[in-house]
Amino acid sequence: MSIFSKDQTKKVVVDAKNHGYKPDVITFKQGKPAQLKFIASDNMGCMDKINFKQLDTKVDLDNNNEVTVKIPTDKPGEYDFACSMDMFKGKVVVK
Ligand SMILES: [Cu+2]
């Protein structure tokens, strides 16, 4: 699901379920503001934390219903994210 707000920010909602992220590949346009919104679920296990390696960003979904992560779109790139055990993975593509 994509949501565009007034300032043209593209927001993509990512379901963080027990067995992976939906969607697990998210594409944004270079130069347009971009955000990911993670929705937590019950019984998250190791998915209660998300690690964006290249962005040096860690997200804590524990006790939260949703967390928003800003994605830099100033240049093209790929940013991986994964659960705290590096089992479940997703990818953000800026192009
Ligand atoms: Cu895991």
Side-chain angles (χ1 to χ4, degrees):
M1 178 167 54
S2 302
I3 304 162
F4 289 92
S5 59
K6 275 181 199 144
D7 67 350
Q8 297 279 304
T9 299
K10 184 180 179 184
K11 267 188 207 171
V12 175
V13 177
V14 180
D15 243 325
K17 293 261 165 72
N18 299 344
H19 299 290
Y21 302 101
K22 267 186 194 166
D24 59 355
V25 179
I26 303 105
T27 304
F28 291 110
K29 271 212 171 97
Q30 185 186 352
K32 293 270 165 68
Q35 293 179 358
L36 290 180
K37 193 161 105 178
F38 287 95
I39 311 287
S41 63
D42 297 336
N43 198 2
M44 299 285 286
C46 60
M47 291 186 74
D48 65 352
K49 290 187 176 56
I50 306 169
N51 186 16
F52 285 79
K53 282 174 220 162
Q54 295 97 330
L55 296 178
D56 201 20
T57 299
K58 286 195 169 73
V59 178
D60 202 343
L61 283 173
D62 215 11
N63 299 322
N64 283 303
N65 289 323
E66 53 183 63
V67 172
T68 300
V69 179
K70 265 191 165 180
I71 304 296
T73 59
D74 51 315
K75 54 179 195 274
E78 293 194 359
Y79 306 110
D80 300 311
F81 58 91
C83 69
S84 57
M85 289 177 67
D86 212 28
M87 299 152 51
F88 299 110
K89 298 174 191 209
K91 185 163 73 173
V92 180
V93 180
V94 177
K95 62 182 184 183

